[in-house]
Every structure is written in C-alpha cells, then in structure tokens.
C-alpha cells in the first residue's frame, strides 16, 4: 500500500488528538480553579452586625488608646520622676445674683404720694373746690356727696361725712379755705380710722417665725404683693421664707422665686398642680428650721366656685396650723375693680378670717375712697397699699399721710 494515501488522514487524526488534549486540559483547569474559589473562607463582613446584641465590655477595653488621639511629641510625654506640669484648673465663676437692699419702709407713702394724683384730683381737689363755694347750698352738698360716691367711698360713710361736715361748717360760721381744708382733713381721717391696728403681724408669740398667708383673686397683684412684702420685711431687718402655694400656675411660683432671690429670701415650691397645702406645710417647716423671722405663703385664688376655694384655702390653713397658728391673713384687692372688689372681699371673708387688707393699683385709679368702703365692708384694716409696679411700690398704710396725699399741698 502506498504511504502517500494515508498521510493526510494521519495528520487530521493527530491534530484532532492534540485539540482534544488541549480542550480537556483547559476544562480540568477551570474545574480546579472554581473548586479552589469555592473552598476560600468567606470574606469578613465589611461592617459589624448591628443586629447582634452589644458585646459585653471586656477588662482593658477602656485602656485602649483611641485611634483618634493625637500623637504626642517627645516633649509632651512625661518622663518618670520628672516634674509633672501643674495645670491649675480655674473653678468656673458662678455669679450669684446681687442681693438688693430694699428701700426703708418708713415714709414710703409720702414718697409715693404723687401716685395718688388721680384720686387726689377726683376726691381731694374736687371736695375742696366744692367746699370753697360762696354758698354751700343743698345742690353743693349733693355734689359733695356725688364726689365721694364716685370715688368709691361707699354710701354709708359718705352720708356720715357729709352730715358731720355740714354740722361743723354751720357751727363754725366762718369758712376760710384753710379752715375748710382742716375740717375735711379731720373728717376724712376719722372716716379712715386712725385708731385701727395696721401692723402686719409677723411676730409669733411662741418665738417661731410669723406666718402670713396671702389670699386674693388671681390678677389682683397677689404674687407681686407677696414679693413686695418680703422686701418690706427684709428692709426692716427680717429673714423671710416664701411658700409658693399657688401651684395652679407654674409661672406664679417662678415669679415668687424671682422676687425672693432678689432679696435673698428662700422659696419653697412644689410641682405644678401639686397640693398647695403640702407646699405651705413645707414652707412653715423650713421657716422654723431656718429660724426665719417670717414665712409668707402665696395661695391660688381661683374663684370658679366658692366651695372649691373654701376647700383649698381651708385645707392650707388647717395644714399650716398643725405647726403654728397663722399670724396674719392678708386679702389682696385690686382698687380699680370697685364694687367687684367688695364682692370678692365678702367671699374671701366667709372662707378665711381676714386680718388685713392690701389694696393694690391705687396708683391707677381715681377711686381712692375704696380704702374706706372696704374697711367698712369687712371691719378689717387696710394695712398696705400698692402704688405701682416697682419693687418698692408697696407702702404701709398710714391714714394721715394718705389723707394728706389725697388733699394735696
Ligand atoms: N400699677 C400697679 N400694678 C400693680 C400693682 N400691684 C400689682 N400690679 C401688677 O398687677 C399685675 C398682676 O400681678 P400678679 O402679682 O401677677 O397677680 P396675682 O394676683 O398674683 O395673679 P396670678 O399671678 O395670676 O396668681 C402685674 O402686672 C403687677 O405688676 C400696683 O400696686 N400698681
């Protein structure tokens, strides 16, 4: 058989075998590669598993130097035994609010007399002008009566005053302006009641702090008056503890505390809406522990229902009196509310035994005669009067100085 015929066939067979070997080799390489890949450990998670529970801290964890810590240079590193740099830490300067020195109480009414100018014009000057008329006829006396009524003196006191004036003018005969002024002054002072005890009782017979409860409708100036009274007492050399028993409004307690801080008086307060009686109790307790001269208790004055008010004030009073009797119960009335003020006075007098009245806002009214009317209504003296929003605009009430201020110079 000739060799030339089988040559090309053999070439093809050889080529096919070579290709088969190469393909098999490549395939087996791929399989091994993929097996290797599958056997590699899974890569660590990029971020810690936040769903896992937090690991317990281990001893020494905190000792690790945080990466963020700046590298220290050799100069900054302490050598053992070397002098440690002394870093003196300045204590933070906490500035205590400056304690104010309130104005002395003596002569306050005289200083503030000009504040009564509206009452002065309506009452004092009005009456003096009428009395200076040439003929004091019936009409003039009626006008005098009207003037007194308009200034809220009240019906009964007005009639008394007019009667007495008429009588004395008739008896006296002569009527110089000075004489008339003198007569009016005397009669007004008599009407105001110079003999009444107007001391704000802050001394306790048993030697503990005097306990003063301040009551009145919200908005009359009750909290402000409690704060101002604290100043009056501090000005007279007393130490005072304030009880913010008006827990109905948190702002009222803040307001009282601010008043106290200004004169260095400690304020006892409770949670908003808390029990007023327990605040009052604590205030008296702390006042005793601190050996304070006086404890002033500011109360809430919601007049929604008389029963509610009675319950609340009655409870405060009872709870306080478990420790010591009340020395003073001051009713705060807004002089600008006129007859409404008298209605309030009646309600409060039924609830607690009022021992003194504070008439506020007398600076903004022509109705200074309310002093006379309210005393008549309650049979209780006006002890303090408010003549402005300033911290020391609360004056002890002095009948003579008051009448002089009404009549002007
Ligand atoms: N012009 C004048 N304003 C006064 C006087 N006394 C108090 N006031 C003002 O009356 C407003 C009411 O006073 P407060 O002391 O907040 O009244 P409150 O009765 O305690 O009422 P609550 O705080 O709601 O319980 C305030 O703006 C006081 O500055 C006063 O004698 N003259």
């Amino acid at each position: 058989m000739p060799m030339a015929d089988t040559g090309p066939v053999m070439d093809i067979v050889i080529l096919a075998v070579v290709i088969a070997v190469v393909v098999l080799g490549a395939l087996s390489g791929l399989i091994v590669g993929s097996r290797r890949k599958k056997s590699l450990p899974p890569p660590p998670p990029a971020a810690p598993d936040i769903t896992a529970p937090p690991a317990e801290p281990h001893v020494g964890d905190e000792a690790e130097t945080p990466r963020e810590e700046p590298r220290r240079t050799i100069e900054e590193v302490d050598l053992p035994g070397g002098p440690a740099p002394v870093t003196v830490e300045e204590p933070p300067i906490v500035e205590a609010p400056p304690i104010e020195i309130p104005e002395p109480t003596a002569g306050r009414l005289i200083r503030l007399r000009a504040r009564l100018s509206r009452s002065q014009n309506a009452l004092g000057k009005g009456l003096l002008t009428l009395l200076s008329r040439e003929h004091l006829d019936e009409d003039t006396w009626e006008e005098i009566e009207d003037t007194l009524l308009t200034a809220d003196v009240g019906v009964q006191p007005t009639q008394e005053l007019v009667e007495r004036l008429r009588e004395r003018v008739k008896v006296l005969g002569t009527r110089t302006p000075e004489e008339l002024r003198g007569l009016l002054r005397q009669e007004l002072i008599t009407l105001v009641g110079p003999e009444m005890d107007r001391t704000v009782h802050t001394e306790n017979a048993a030697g503990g702090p005097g306990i003063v409860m301040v009551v009145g409708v919200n908005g009359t100036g009750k909290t402000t008056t409690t704060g101002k009274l604290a100043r009056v007492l501090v000005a007279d050399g007393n130490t005072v503890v304030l009880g913010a028993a008006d827990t109905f409004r948190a702002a009222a307690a803040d307001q009282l505390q601010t008043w106290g801080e200004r004169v260095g008086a400690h304020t006892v307060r409770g949670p908003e809406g808390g029990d007023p009686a327990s605040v009052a109790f604590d205030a008296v307790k702390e006042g005793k522990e601190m050996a304070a001269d006086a404890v002033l208790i500011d109360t809430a004055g919601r007049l929604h229902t008389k029963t509610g008010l009675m319950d609340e004030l009655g409870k405060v009073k009872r709870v306080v009196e478990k420790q010591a009797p009340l020395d003073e119960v001051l009713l705060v009335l807004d002089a600008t509310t006129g007859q409404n003020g008298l209605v309030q006075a009646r309600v409060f007098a039924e609830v607690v035994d009022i021992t003194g009245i504070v008439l506020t806002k007398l600076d903004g009214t022509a109705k200074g005669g309310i002093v006379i009317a309210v005393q008549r209504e309650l049979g209780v003296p006006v002890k303090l009067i408010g003549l402005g929003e300033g911290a020391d605009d609360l004056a002890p009430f002095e009948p003579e100085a008051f009448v002089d201020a009404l009549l002007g110079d």
Side-chain angles (χ1 to χ4, degrees):
M1 281 221 320
M3 289 296 289
D5 286 337
T6 56
V9 175
M10 279 305 289
D11 284 348
I12 290 164
V13 171
I14 290 164
L15 192 63
V17 169
V18 169
I19 288 168
V21 169
V22 169
V23 167
L24 275 173
L27 276 173
S28 68
L30 273 175
I31 291 163
V32 173
S34 73
R35 275 201 189 135
R36 274 202 198 121
K37 272 183 194 158
K38 275 180 189 160
S39 68
L40 279 178
D49 189 357
I50 50 165
T51 57
E56 290 282 327
H58 300 287
V59 176
D61 273 356
E62 285 173 13
E64 268 182 29
T65 310
R67 299 241 168 127
E68 306 81 79
E69 189 177 82
R71 279 169 174 268
R72 294 186 293 171
T73 61
I74 192 138
E75 290 86 0
E76 290 169 313
V77 178
D78 294 339
L79 293 174
V86 185
T87 43
V88 182
E89 281 220 353
E90 291 284 330
I93 301 159
V94 183
E95 281 204 21
I99 305 284
E100 295 173 20
I101 312 288
E103 281 178 28
T105 50
R108 276 196 191 185
L109 210 161
I110 292 167
R111 175 178 67 80
L112 298 166
R113 61 190 292 167
R115 303 276 175 90
L116 282 167
S117 61
R118 292 181 72 183
S119 286
Q120 197 180 71
N121 288 328
L123 191 60
K125 294 217 166 68
L127 288 179
L128 285 173
T129 312
L130 287 168
L131 283 170
S132 308
R133 280 191 187 164
E134 207 158 323
H135 297 289
L136 284 175
D137 52 17
E138 273 312 306
D139 287 351
T140 310
W141 285 113
E142 254 177 48
E143 277 183 66
I144 290 174
E145 238 179 61
D146 288 347
T147 307
L148 289 162
L149 289 173
T150 314
D152 268 353
V153 172
V155 179
Q156 184 66 29
T158 295
Q159 283 170 357
E160 280 175 30
L161 183 76
V162 170
E163 227 166 80
R164 290 170 69 102
L165 271 178
R166 282 184 88 151
E167 186 65 29
R168 292 189 72 180
V169 167
K170 207 160 82 183
V171 170
L172 234 108
T174 51
R175 311 185 286 108
T176 63
E178 289 75 39
E179 276 174 336
L180 284 172
R181 192 181 187 283
L183 275 184
L184 184 62
R185 180 179 185 273
Q186 274 177 19
E187 292 305 329
L188 281 173
I189 291 174
T190 307
L191 214 55
V192 172
E195 75 295 334
M196 289 178 126
D197 175 18
R198 296 176 196 275
T199 329
V200 179
H201 292 283
T202 53
E203 291 99 42
N204 187 272
I211 302 164
V212 182
M213 186 160 115
V214 186
V215 303
V217 172
N218 289 350
T220 52
K222 192 168 36 64
T223 305
T224 311
T225 297
T226 312
K228 286 178 182 174
L229 179 57
R231 294 176 71 90
V232 167
L233 295 173
V234 168
D236 291 344
N238 299 288
T239 50
V240 176
V241 167
L242 296 170
D246 183 355
T247 53
F248 185 60
R249 215 169 53 87
D254 293 343
Q255 199 186 336
L256 191 67
Q257 190 168 352
T258 307
W259 277 99
E261 279 166 0
R262 289 172 67 178
V263 285
H266 172 59
T267 302
V268 176
R269 51 188 295 180
E272 187 175 357
D275 181 17
S278 90
V279 177
F281 183 89
D282 289 346
V284 174
K285 194 164 148 275
E286 286 192 36
K288 281 168 123 181
E289 284 164 5
M290 292 167 69
D293 294 307
V295 178
L296 308 184
I297 302 163
D298 181 25
T299 59
R302 285 159 293 147
L303 254 188
H304 295 323
T305 61
K306 204 166 96 181
T307 337
L309 181 78
M310 210 175 307
D311 286 352
E312 187 167 304
L313 288 184
K315 189 176 169 199
V316 171
K317 189 170 179 282
R318 275 196 312 279
V319 165
V320 166
E321 285 179 337
K322 276 186 190 162
Q323 303 193 71
L326 282 169
D327 296 285
E328 189 80 70
V329 179
L330 292 174
L331 170 66
V332 180
L333 290 177
D334 178 340
T336 63
T337 58
Q339 289 304 310
N340 195 12
L342 294 183
V343 175
Q344 291 170 18
R346 244 172 264 146
V347 173
F348 275 93
E350 281 179 47
V351 176
V352 272
D353 293 330
I354 313 279
T355 56
I357 300 158
V358 183
L359 266 183
T360 59
K361 312 187 194 181
L362 267 174
D363 52 310
T365 177
K367 296 172 180 291
I370 191 82
V371 169
I372 295 161
V374 75
Q375 287 190 154
R376 281 292 176 98
E377 181 72 41
L378 298 186
V380 165
V382 170
K383 294 192 169 177
L384 297 158
I385 53 173
L387 287 163
E389 296 196 68
D392 291 327
D393 292 346
L394 182 77
F397 182 73
E398 300 154 35
E400 297 199 3
F402 179 71
V403 170
D404 284 341
L406 284 188
L407 295 179
D409 293 321

